[in-house]
Amino acid sequence: MAIRVYGIPQSLHSLVKEFHTKYSAQSKSDFVSDTTFLNYAHAISKGFLTINDLFSALKYNKIEQQFYDKIKQYSNNKTYLNRVLYECVYSRIMILERKESYNEALDLAYALLKTCEENKQDMQCADIEEEIGYIYYSFENFSKALVYFKKSHEVLLKTTHNASKIGGSYINLYAAYASMGDSITAIKYCFSALNFFKKIDHKEGMRVAYGNLAIYYQNINTDKALSYILQSMSLRNGSIDFLNPGLDENSLGNLYFRKAKLEKNPVKKKALLMEAETSFEKAKRIATLTKSKGTLKDCYRSLAVLEKERGDLVKAYDYINLYTIYKDSILKEENTGSSLKSALRYEFDKKEQKQKLLAEQNQAVKQSAFEKQKIQKNFFIIGFILVSIFAIFIFVGLRAKQKANKIIIEQKTEVQDQKMIIEQKQSQLLQSIHYAQSIQNNLLKSETDLQKIIPDSFIIFKPRDIVSGDFYWFTKTEAGDIIIAIGDCTGHGVPGALLSMIGITSLNEIVNFQKKHDPGDILKGLSVYMHTTFSKDRHSKIDGMDFSICKISAAKNKLYFAGVNQCLYAFNVGSGLLKIEPQVSSIDGIFDISGNDKIISKEIDVVAGTCFYVFSDGIIDQIGELTGKKYLSKRFEESLFSEKATSSVVAQKEVILSSLGEWQGNFKQIDDISVIGFKL
């Protein structure tokens, strides 16, 4: 089915032209004309939102807000102004959600919810709570999304008979429960939504419900799920669903993929995989067209699984990398932090409002008591005197309280200013660190570069923080020898990264310009370079650097190795695992090598089919979530030589990462990880 993309409808084009014509002819600004232009801007913004022209929709929404600000100068009708403000801000929230600017949308939603609660606008509160739930759902905070979906749903059941709105709220509840793994409750709400939409022949609602039923049945009954998704796509009639772009196509691809996995006939299996790929690619095109990061993330994950099933691990790895990039883009910590601040600010404002109301009630009680005492003074002179004295004490207390409140307000303002300065500094620091990451990445060669000189090879490089204290380096000399090195600088983040960049620069100087190619000579030269760079008159103490380097001589069928606190693994099916120990073992690593020390490279005969591995200690030091213990060398060696990893060194990379991931679970990475493997 072809993708249908709509241009600007003629009616919308005419409306825009009419707006600009009348605005150009305007002679003066008054309440009537400004209200007219506000209504024009609101209608135009909604029209552009319908066809997903988000830039134009936001432009006219801002124009709508400008006219609202003008109207406030003419009118004191709070009911009317509140309604106009709600429509303007609610449209802005919808536009920002469609742009996936979720943080800004959430800030506006909480602010608008507070205003509607103060004005006791229950229906509007339900609509905003639904949008807040949708934003949290986009953040994959399903429990928080469920809270707001339930609030909205309960209000709708009490205040409206609009089957379309109620059906939509059932769909939201289905999505939240399904994402949380409660499939029984989820499917109940999905069928409730479908029944509501069928009653009013709401085709768009029926389409969404059928699409969700297809997702639910994909693990239970593939044919039934396929029937539902085809019903959903037929109701869409080839147009793009801008709210969930590419969702049906991606679901259809997943269903074809599941059928392919169950199919034993190779020809039919291949055809089903082609059908799945076609659907995933179509979903990807739609997501790219609509700039939907969420759908692109799902598409790349689906394509990665498909290519893995075909046995093309290189493509699968490329797709899973793209999936990770889009997932991190949506769920990065800044988003979570911003949404949390919005929620906390909303809860704080609610508590502050309750405290203010309670204080006013207390003040009213005190005032009532004071009035009674004033009445009694007419009958009892002594009582009058006592009440007067009491009033003086109250007055003095109020003055003291006002003074204290003033001090508190000044302190609060100062704290807020300091907070803003800290946030700005933090933002600048993060920008600097990300720039440092870009510099470090440019210094490091890629895995593809290594595979050009050693085809059966891989690189695992996983920094603990944004930048890494680990580094790797390799080159091919004019004589045809290949030199590979890995360094591990003490510390993480920026300090380790700075030391690693000096290490890379030093190796380029020693190998490429000084023409030292023996691992022992390179190691000694690196030590001299470091001692020269960090002279004692400037630094009393420099953190250490562990280092290993090997040279492959194809002409002699030899491998030469030198290391400081890092060993070399060599594995051959005939002779098994050989662990070559480093020449130097010390606390400060390469900094402990003195000028008189001589490093002699270890020589290893290269037998065809032998695999070699150099690595930092980061991988064996990772902590397991379930045991609280380190990964250790034993598990690392088991992942290297398992049955799944015997076909090629490239295949071992996936096995290593899978084994390490299962061991770590959700436990945070504690050290930079670097591994290079190659087969000769």
Side-chain angles (χ1 to χ4, degrees):
M1 189 179 293
I3 301 172
R4 183 181 303 162
V5 181
Y6 295 103
I8 300 179
Q10 186 62 35
S11 58
L12 179 57
H13 181 78
S14 301
L15 196 62
V16 173
K17 185 177 180 181
E18 185 176 346
F19 167 78
H20 287 285
T21 301
K22 289 188 176 182
Y23 185 77
S24 300
Q26 181 190 20
S27 59
K28 65 177 182 177
S29 177
D30 55 33
F31 177 78
V32 175
S33 61
D34 287 342
T35 301
T36 301
F37 291 128
L38 180 143
N39 292 333
Y40 267 116
H42 181 73
I44 294 170
S45 177
K46 290 187 70 174
F48 280 119
L49 179 61
T50 302
I51 62 173
N52 211 47
D53 185 346
L54 303 180
F55 177 83
S56 299
L58 185 59
K59 171 186 172 182
Y60 283 95
N61 179 261
K62 290 180 179 179
I63 294 173
E64 178 185 359
Q65 184 178 351
Q66 291 172 1
F67 282 109
Y68 166 77
D69 292 336
K70 288 185 177 182
I71 289 171
K72 284 196 300 183
Q73 301 173 10
Y74 305 117
S75 176
N76 293 321
N77 188 334
K78 289 187 177 181
T79 302
Y80 171 74
L81 291 175
N82 286 337
R83 180 176 62 81
V84 173
L85 177 64
Y86 171 81
E87 291 176 353
C88 179
V89 178
Y90 188 79
S91 294
R92 178 76 62 86
I93 293 168
M94 297 291 288
I95 295 167
L96 292 171
E97 285 179 2
R98 202 75 73 80
K99 287 181 67 184
E100 298 183 349
S101 300
Y102 294 122
N103 290 324
E104 191 177 350
L106 193 61
D107 283 337
L108 286 177
Y110 272 122
L112 187 57
L113 179 59
K114 179 185 174 184
T115 301
C116 291
E117 285 177 341
E118 291 172 351
N119 297 327
K120 301 187 184 306
Q121 297 170 289
D122 292 338
M123 277 296 297
Q124 287 84 347
C125 286
D127 290 339
I128 301 164
E129 285 167 343
E130 183 180 60
E131 296 309 315
I132 292 174
Y134 174 77
I135 294 170
Y136 277 119
Y137 186 88
S138 300
F139 284 154
E140 297 187 5
N141 189 341
F142 305 121
S143 59
K144 195 81 171 178
L146 181 60
V147 170
Y148 282 96
F149 284 154
K150 279 186 174 180
K151 285 183 179 180
S152 174
H153 183 69
E154 288 168 4
V155 173
L156 289 174
L157 291 178
K158 292 177 182 177
T159 58
T160 185
H161 297 290
N162 187 322
S164 175
K165 277 185 171 291
I166 295 173
S169 71
Y170 276 123
I171 288 291
N172 291 333
L173 290 170
Y174 157 80
Y177 276 112
S179 298
M180 294 172 68
D182 187 350
S183 57
I184 296 175
T185 305
I187 199 62
K188 179 184 73 174
Y189 282 119
C190 193
F191 278 116
S192 296
L194 182 60
N195 291 334
F196 267 89
F197 290 132
K198 281 184 175 179
K199 286 179 183 178
I200 59 173
D201 194 28
H202 194 295
K203 288 184 170 54
E204 179 61 19
M206 291 163 60
R207 185 190 67 75
V208 173
Y210 281 131
N212 286 323
L213 286 171
I215 294 172
Y216 171 79
Y217 279 105
Q218 66 182 2
N219 294 322
I220 302 172
N221 187 327
T222 307
D223 291 331
K224 195 170 187 178
L226 194 58
S227 171
Y228 279 130
I229 197 64
L230 292 174
Q231 288 184 71
S232 173
M233 295 177 73
S234 67
L235 288 169
R236 183 153 52 83
N237 196 27
S239 62
I240 293 178
D241 176 12
F242 289 109
L243 290 176
N244 298 286
L247 177 62
D248 287 345
E249 287 75 7
N250 194 51
S251 296
L252 182 61
N254 283 324
L255 290 171
Y256 280 129
F257 177 76
R258 289 180 181 279
K259 288 178 71 69
K261 288 196 72 175
L262 297 173
E263 182 59 54
K264 295 183 179 179
N265 185 309
V267 176
K268 292 182 179 180
K269 182 183 182 76
K270 183 178 180 181
L272 288 168
L273 288 174
M274 283 296 297
E275 290 283 359
E277 184 180 21
T278 300
S279 296
F280 292 148
E281 289 293 340
K282 187 174 181 181
K284 184 157 70 76
R285 288 198 304 274
I286 295 172
T288 303
L289 182 68
T290 57
K291 300 179 180 179
S292 174
K293 295 180 182 177
T295 305
L296 279 170
K297 175 198 70 172
D298 294 336
C299 289
Y300 285 127
R301 184 181 184 281
S302 299
L303 286 165
V305 175
L306 183 142
E307 294 299 340
K308 185 178 180 182
E309 179 69 18
R310 284 175 168 171
D312 192 339
L313 296 180
V314 175
K315 278 189 178 181
Y317 180 76
D318 291 340
Y319 282 131
I320 207 67
N321 277 341
L322 290 169
Y323 161 77
T324 304
I325 290 169
Y326 279 95
K327 181 180 179 182
D328 291 344
S329 176
I330 296 170
L331 296 175
K332 56 186 177 181
E333 292 181 2
E334 293 87 277
N335 284 356
T336 306
S338 179
S339 65
L340 180 60
K341 287 191 288 185
S342 301
L344 289 175
R345 183 166 59 250
Y346 169 70
E347 295 297 335
F348 175 80
D349 289 344
K350 286 190 69 175
K351 289 179 180 178
E352 192 175 45
Q353 188 177 7
K354 289 180 180 178
Q355 290 172 353
K356 183 179 177 182
L357 181 61
L358 183 60
E360 290 174 351
Q361 291 173 346
N362 291 337
Q363 186 63 29
V365 172
K366 290 180 181 180
Q367 187 66 27
S368 177
F370 181 73
E371 292 296 330
K372 289 180 181 179
Q373 289 173 349
K374 286 183 64 177
I375 295 172
Q376 290 176 355
K377 76 174 182 177
N378 296 323
F379 301 96
F380 303 100
I381 300 300
I382 297 175
F384 172 76
I385 295 172
L386 292 174
V387 169
S388 299
I389 295 172
F390 182 68
I392 291 172
F393 278 115
I394 291 178
F395 176 75
V396 173
L398 287 174
R399 289 293 299 273
K401 185 176 180 180
Q402 288 174 350
K403 186 176 180 180
N405 286 341
K406 183 179 179 182
I407 294 172
I408 291 171
I409 291 171
E410 290 175 352
Q411 290 175 340
K412 184 177 180 181
T413 302
E414 184 178 355
V415 169
Q416 289 174 342
D417 292 342
Q418 292 296 325
K419 180 183 176 184
M420 184 178 298
I421 292 171
I422 291 171
E423 288 176 346
Q424 289 174 348
K425 294 294 184 183
Q426 184 183 26
S427 176
Q428 292 170 359
L429 179 60
L430 283 174
Q431 289 176 2
S432 298
I433 294 174
H434 280 293
Y435 185 67
Q437 181 192 34
S438 176
I439 294 172
Q440 186 178 51
N441 288 341
N442 285 331
L443 288 174
L444 295 171
K445 296 182 181 180
S446 68
E447 184 179 66
T448 304
D449 293 327
L450 179 61
Q451 289 172 348
K452 288 178 181 178
I453 57 178
I454 306 179
D456 198 359
S457 60
F458 71 83
I459 298 174
I460 296 174
F461 184 67
K462 295 181 66 178
R464 191 196 75 166
D465 301 313
I466 298 174
V467 290
S468 175
D470 280 12
F471 69 92
Y472 61 86
W473 185 92
F474 57 85
T475 189
K476 188 171 184 178
T477 67
E478 295 175 355
D481 296 336
I482 299 170
I483 300 174
I484 299 174
I486 277 187
D488 180 1
C489 306
T490 304
H492 312 285
V494 175
L498 289 172
L499 199 54
S500 74
M501 292 180 189
I502 294 172
I504 294 171
T505 305
S506 304
L507 288 172
N508 285 327
E509 170 69 22
I510 294 165
V511 177
N512 295 330
F513 293 98
Q514 296 180 13
K515 302 300 182 180
K516 293 182 180 180
H517 296 163
D518 179 74
D521 292 342
I522 295 171
L523 186 57
K524 184 66 179 295
L526 182 60
S527 174
V528 172
Y529 196 100
M530 288 298 179
H531 281 293
T532 303
T533 302
F534 299 103
S535 58
K536 289 186 178 180
D537 60 335
R538 286 180 292 161
H539 294 274
S540 60
K541 172 66 178 174
I542 297 296
D543 284 336
M545 178 194 291
D546 297 343
F547 186 78
S548 59
I549 184 165
C550 55
K551 182 182 79 171
I552 304 161
S553 174
K556 298 180 180 179
N557 283 332
K558 300 283 187 181
L559 183 143
Y560 302 91
F561 169 76
V564 178
N565 294 338
Q566 289 183 1
C567 63
L568 170 70
Y569 279 1
F571 177 78
N572 186 280
V573 176
S575 57
L577 174 64
L578 175 63
K579 182 177 180 181
I580 297 92
E581 298 292 345
Q583 287 89 333
V584 180
S585 296
S586 66
I587 295 176
D588 292 332
I590 204 165
F591 287 96
D592 275 345
I593 299 175
S594 67
N596 297 324
D597 292 338
K598 182 171 180 61
I599 309 298
I600 300 174
S601 301
K602 295 186 178 182
E603 180 181 300
I604 301 101
D605 291 328
V606 176
V607 179
T610 302
C611 302
F612 295 91
Y613 309 90
V614 286
F615 53 92
S616 66
D617 61 2
I619 189 167
I620 62 177
D621 285 343
Q622 298 305 315
I623 304 299
E625 179 184 16
L626 298 179
T627 64
K629 296 180 180 179
K630 292 185 177 182
Y631 189 60
L632 299 180
S633 302
K634 180 180 178 182
R635 293 183 182 87
F636 177 48
E637 292 166 8
E638 289 174 351
S639 68
L640 288 175
F641 313 126
S642 66
E643 293 183 2
K644 295 180 181 179
T646 55
S647 58
S648 70
V649 168
V650 175
Q652 286 179 343
K653 178 177 181 178
E654 296 299 325
V655 177
I656 293 169
L657 291 174
S658 176
S659 172
L660 181 61
E662 291 175 2
W663 176 258
Q664 282 183 272
N666 292 322
F667 200 92
K668 186 177 180 181
Q669 184 174 330
I670 66 168
D671 195 3
D672 302 319
I673 297 173
S674 299
V675 182
I676 294 181
F678 53 92
K679 188 174 183 179
L680 301 178

